[in-house]
Amino acid sequence: MTAINAVTDLTREGDIAVITIDSPPVNALSADVRNGLRDGARQAAADPAFKAIVLICAGRTFIAGADISEFGKPSQGATLQEIQDALEGSPKPVIAALHGTALGGGFEVALMCHYRVAVPSAKVGLPEIKLGLMPGAGGTQRLPRLAGVENALNLILSGTPFGAKQALEWNAVDALVEEGKLREGAIAFARKLIDTHMPLRRIRDLNDKIEAVRGKPEIFDKIRKENARKFRGFEAWKSAIRAVQAAVDLPFDEGMKLERQAFLDLVPSEQSRAQRYVFFAERKVWKVADVSDDTPTLPIKNVGVIGAGTMGGGISMNFLNASIPVTIVETAQAALDRGLGTIRRNYENTAKKGRLTQADVETRMGLLSPSLDLTALTDCDLIIEAVFENMELKKEIFRKLDKIAKPGAMLASNTSYLDIDEIASVTSRPDYVLGMHFFSPANVMRLLEVVRGKKTAKPVVATVMKLARKIGKIAALVGVCHGFVGNRMLAQRQREAQKLILEGAMPWDVDRVIYDFGLPMGPFAMSDLAGLDIGWSKETSKSASIRDILCEMDRRGQKTGAGFYDYDEARNSKPSPVVEKIILDFAAKKGINRRNISDQEILERCIYPMINEGAKILDEGMAQRASDIDIVWINGYGWPVYRGGPMFYADLIGPEKVLAKMKEFEATMGEDFKPAALLEKVVAEKKRFQDL
Ligand code: T1G
């Protein structure tokens, strides 16, 4: 065995050289790994004793891509061109042996080799699009030559890895070898190549699949049209399509040049910096400072859910999807039947789309036990309450649960803003009480705010964070405050949105600005979707706000065909002259002199107070880190990932700019814009929120 460098060694298997990369955790293409690849391949090629070269990785996976943490730093070590020359340009067959996830630059390195073998469990893919990038080491030039242009573009634009079997069908892999016997299988494959004098097969020379679409630019126009809606606001996808089109229209090396330049143009972009930040934020969010990874967790073999409404039903589906039995409790048979019916309908709709079999539907429904009796929950390991947002009602339920639930059972509330400590205080087990704030629709939205009470025990926190991963959620640990993280910041935006439509803007102006900024919809369209009468009652309504007046006129939102907008049968919205008049009259009655308000002011007044509130949340320790706040907004409120989240956005535009504008607004509009102490501090110390 020869050590090529700290992460690469070369061993001799008869006349076959085996280059092994060993750079945990995922053999990312760091400078060391790149040097090892280049120098190992050169050394093996130069040694007459070797007739073939096998490239394999130790640990859990083949190279999982470029080292994302190196982006934006001065590039060191071997270039991709040098690696390409050492692998593809090798005079001896080079075979890549794939296991785990050969992704991005890792898959591209494999495509530089002459042959690829894989274990059946291996996955390959080009997920660069998820980082605001595109393949930059030949993926856009080589994959179309193997899988065809449309398959290649679907893979590059989805960023979704595909299995070894699919790769075999597309000749992206030449053979599958026995699971757990990759090294032996690869060496045997190399042996066969030597014995059968198989020619070197360079993917760059395979042109049949691209010639088939040469002179048909309409194929690319069609793909652009089909993806425009999905990629609204994103940039990288356009460059990816252009590069694959170059693979068809240009000679290989010119296509490679175009790809490389397009890739290098994306690396410093705000969007890629934001999406790379989110990549690491999604991994940091699970880490709880004072709850170490070896904290014991409690077994969760069955779950109880109280309330079979929209939230209770969606919450239950998460556990059924993870094969965890659920007992769901309601107060009335009709409500219970309605809840079960909705769950079954959701599953059957999914089955109709082919994403579940009918047998899957029956299996999941079979794990669901309905009841009208709380005592049915005595054996549950975790009970989640999802009833109407009323403190007294919740406290009454928790008092009962405390008596019914077995010792050691955890009690959670799905409240979206009420005080978890107050709820816990009525039980004898406050250390086993916490909040699990799901987002509607709870079986779809990835985010879970895990609300840690003052007395919540560490094993309970560790258990629920682990459980969140099992049910496919991304969990952010938050503290007890009104509205926790997401809704607390949202309230800032909603307040300003209401003020803006009185001062001079119209609901559709505010929504357009927020929509164009990249969120799925603005505050008024969102209110119409949710229903304007949430928490509103006819008896107490006093025409005190635009919402009051709209509800009094039975304009309750989409469900009544009118709200802030007018809706047609297909629920398409359009600005409402009725609402415009209501707003003008209401403002006049309030003596408000309306003025022209710029889109920039609308954006700043909706976003900056959110950032300011985020700073307060961090300062109070209601979130562990700024990137957790960003994960909440990206996964719970549709904040565009290419803007990294509200706190990353503040760092991007400069916290000093947010502070200056807040002070300017405070001077004219008062207390609502009082800068948070932490925002002042971050600016004074020339720091960024992500560095805190
Ligand atoms: N670079 C740096 N660190 C990485 C990394 C990478 N590519 N991939 C993972 N890590 C770290 C991660 O931060 C975590 O660290 C640990 O490894 C385990 O990861 C030229 C330019 C491989 C499927 O986009 O999708 O190639 O938190 O927790 O769930 O065209 O990681 O423990 O400190 O995610 O088992 C393209 C990214 C790069 C793949 C494993 N490649 N990685 O998932 O573990 S761009 C990717 C993943 C590129 C070329 C372009 C996943 C995984 P820590 P983990 P996992």
Side-chain angles (χ1 to χ4, degrees):
M1 193 278 284
T2 316
I4 302 293
N5 67 9
V7 297
T8 315
D9 66 43
L10 188 151
T11 46
R12 180 182 300 278
E13 293 286 345
D15 55 3
I16 296 169
V18 179
I19 299 171
T20 305
I21 302 287
D22 187 2
S23 176
V26 294
N27 294 309
L29 265 176
S30 62
D32 272 351
V33 169
R34 295 197 305 274
N35 293 343
L37 278 171
R38 175 197 61 194
D39 302 344
R42 283 181 179 170
Q43 197 167 319
D47 184 334
F50 293 129
K51 294 197 174 47
I53 303 166
V54 167
L55 170 60
I56 193 166
C57 288
R60 63 178 167 175
T61 181
F62 189 78
I63 301 166
D67 187 332
I68 302 167
S69 63
E70 283 188 358
F71 286 127
K73 298 182 184 134
S75 173
Q76 295 165 348
T79 65
L80 288 163
Q81 184 64 45
E82 287 173 333
I83 294 170
Q84 175 177 281
D85 297 345
L87 297 174
E88 186 177 62
S90 166
K92 302 168 182 177
V94 182
I95 301 99
L98 312 181
H99 75 295
T101 49
L103 302 175
F107 184 35
E108 292 171 297
V109 162
L111 294 175
M112 292 173 187
C113 301
H114 304 117
Y115 296 94
R116 287 146 293 283
V117 299
V119 288
S121 63
K123 287 190 177 328
V124 297
L126 297 171
E128 287 86 346
I129 206 96
K130 295 182 178 169
L131 299 167
L133 296 169
M134 56 181 273
T140 65
Q141 306 304 302
R142 290 193 173 90
L143 189 59
R145 283 174 160 80
L146 288 172
V149 160
E150 285 169 81
N151 290 326
L153 267 175
N154 286 341
L155 292 166
I156 291 169
L157 294 180
S158 70
T160 310
F162 54 108
K165 289 196 184 65
Q166 178 67 71
L168 188 67
E169 273 167 36
W170 281 331
N171 303 321
V173 157
D174 301 288
L176 297 187
V177 299
E178 196 184 331
E179 200 67 52
K181 292 221 171 12
L182 179 61
R183 186 184 168 84
E184 299 84 340
I187 291 168
F189 187 88
R191 163 74 32 227
K192 207 171 75 202
L193 290 178
I194 296 168
D195 298 347
T196 56
H197 306 291
M198 283 286 280
L200 296 184
R201 186 165 153 272
R202 302 184 313 166
I203 296 176
R204 65 163 56 225
D205 304 328
L206 308 177
N207 293 319
D208 55 339
K209 289 236 169 74
I210 50 174
E211 275 152 9
V213 293
R214 191 159 290 154
K216 298 180 181 157
E218 65 277 10
I219 290 177
F220 295 96
D221 298 340
K222 177 168 162 286
I223 290 172
R224 285 187 183 93
K225 240 198 236 87
E226 286 166 356
N227 284 280
R229 193 182 149 88
K230 174 180 142 191
F231 284 112
R232 183 177 76 91
F234 288 88
E235 290 303 324
W237 69 290
K238 301 171 193 151
S239 305
I241 295 176
R242 204 157 40 80
V244 173
Q245 192 159 10
V248 172
D249 300 340
L250 301 176
F252 182 83
D253 289 321
E254 284 179 41
M256 285 293 284
K257 270 205 214 88
L258 183 146
E259 175 201 83
R260 189 75 196 151
Q261 191 51 54
F263 169 80
L264 292 174
D265 293 346
L266 289 172
V267 172
S269 69
E270 288 185 354
Q271 293 204 351
S272 183
R273 284 159 52 201
Q275 289 177 258
R276 297 191 315 253
Y277 162 85
V278 173
F279 175 84
F280 289 113
E282 283 184 341
R283 280 145 185 86
K284 263 189 256 169
V285 73
W286 297 100
K287 299 183 170 60
V288 180
D290 66 336
V291 178
S292 59
D293 293 352
D294 58 5
T295 302
T297 57
L298 308 159
I300 304 287
K301 291 192 291 310
N302 52 37
V303 169
V305 174
I306 303 173
T310 311
M311 290 310 291
I315 291 169
S316 302
M317 291 176 74
N318 290 303
F319 296 100
L320 301 174
N321 297 345
S323 308
I324 298 174
V326 173
T327 302
I328 189 164
V329 176
E330 251 300 350
T331 51
Q333 192 62 48
L336 193 55
D337 296 343
R338 210 172 27 253
L340 264 63
T342 305
I343 294 174
R344 173 173 284 282
R345 231 183 353 272
N346 284 341
Y347 279 135
E348 278 168 354
N349 287 343
T350 309
K352 279 199 203 98
K353 295 180 193 133
R355 292 205 301 266
L356 277 182
T357 65
Q358 194 53 38
D360 295 335
V361 174
E362 298 314 327
T363 305
R364 289 167 200 216
M365 291 308 289
L367 290 170
L368 185 59
S369 311
S371 173
L372 295 174
D373 184 351
L374 274 181
T375 60
L377 304 173
T378 50
D379 191 38
C380 291
D381 300 310
L382 166 67
I383 302 169
I384 304 172
E385 159 276 314
V387 303
F388 186 66
E389 290 282 30
N390 174 287
M391 181 54 94
E392 281 323 306
L393 173 62
K394 291 185 189 282
K395 286 164 88 170
E396 185 208 332
I397 288 174
F398 273 72
R399 278 192 202 93
K400 288 185 184 150
L401 281 180
D402 191 33
K403 296 192 178 58
I404 291 165
K406 66 181 179 185
M410 294 178 294
L411 308 179
S413 172
N414 177 55
T415 179
S416 51
Y417 59 87
L418 292 174
D419 185 331
I420 293 291
D421 291 324
E422 187 179 342
I423 292 173
S425 68
V426 302
T427 74
S428 63
R429 59 177 87 197
D431 50 344
Y432 276 61
V433 174
L434 77 174
M436 291 177 74
H437 178 210
F438 290 81
F439 287 72
S440 184
N443 56 311
V444 176
M445 296 298 283
R446 272 187 80 206
L447 180 67
L448 177 67
E449 280 185 324
V450 175
V451 189
R452 181 182 190 170
K454 282 198 186 61
K455 298 188 177 158
T456 306
K458 293 181 180 179
V460 170
V461 172
T463 302
V464 171
M465 292 298 278
K466 184 176 162 200
L467 180 63
R469 216 190 261 274
K470 183 166 181 183
I471 61 173
K473 300 299 181 191
I474 187 158
L477 188 72
V478 301
V480 176
C481 56
H482 192 76
F484 313 129
V485 169
N487 286 343
R488 178 173 165 180
M489 293 166 71
L490 181 68
Q492 296 293 314
R493 188 190 78 184
Q494 302 304 80
R495 179 201 63 227
E496 285 310 307
Q498 296 295 339
K499 287 160 61 181
L500 282 160
I501 62 170
L502 292 183
E503 293 170 28
M506 277 296 158
W508 27 96
D509 300 324
V510 176
D511 282 358
R512 173 180 45 74
V513 169
I514 298 296
Y515 179 80
D516 291 352
F517 182 74
L519 282 105
M521 66 175 65
F524 297 100
M526 197 162 97
S527 303
D528 274 3
L529 180 67
L532 302 186
D533 52 358
I534 292 179
W536 178 82
S537 82
K538 199 174 187 121
E539 294 66 41
T540 58
S541 187
K542 295 185 182 57
S543 309
S545 68
I546 303 294
R547 182 186 77 142
D548 269 2
I549 295 169
L550 294 177
C551 286
E552 288 157 11
M553 297 167 67
D554 206 26
R555 295 181 66 96
R556 313 269 177 99
Q558 283 196 17
K559 61 186 176 189
T560 57
F564 283 102
Y565 292 85
D566 294 333
Y567 294 89
D568 64 18
E569 294 71 48
R571 292 205 174 194
N572 298 317
S573 66
K574 65 181 186 341
S576 166
V578 174
V579 174
E580 180 161 355
K581 182 161 183 335
I582 290 168
I583 291 173
L584 295 177
D585 294 351
F586 189 87
K589 215 164 51 197
K590 291 264 179 197
I592 298 171
N593 294 327
R594 291 173 62 80
R595 59 187 172 86
N596 283 334
I597 299 181
S598 68
D599 289 358
Q600 186 58 24
E601 178 180 345
I602 290 174
L603 186 69
E604 290 164 348
R605 283 183 55 186
C606 286
I607 304 288
Y608 291 6
M610 285 174 51
I611 294 168
N612 195 54
E613 197 65 22
K616 291 180 186 170
I617 287 169
L618 276 175
D619 216 4
E620 296 163 18
M622 292 300 141
Q624 295 188 90
R625 50 188 82 86
S627 62
D628 289 9
I629 294 177
D630 293 332
I631 289 295
V632 164
W633 267 82
I634 289 166
N635 293 283
Y637 300 82
W639 182 281
V641 67
Y642 57 78
R643 292 192 192 276
M647 306 318 283
F648 178 85
Y649 179 68
D651 288 342
L652 202 64
I653 61 175
E656 66 285 353
K657 187 172 170 209
V658 177
L659 178 61
K661 193 53 79 170
M662 288 294 285
K663 285 188 168 166
E664 184 190 317
F665 287 151
E666 184 188 20
T668 53
M669 291 179 256
E671 196 52 32
D672 286 345
F673 294 95
K674 180 172 175 35
L678 185 64
L679 176 58
E680 302 258 19
K681 186 164 179 287
V682 161
V683 172
E685 297 171 5
K686 296 196 174 3
K687 282 193 175 156
R688 303 177 306 167
F689 286 107
Q690 63 197 262
D691 305 327
L692 297 178

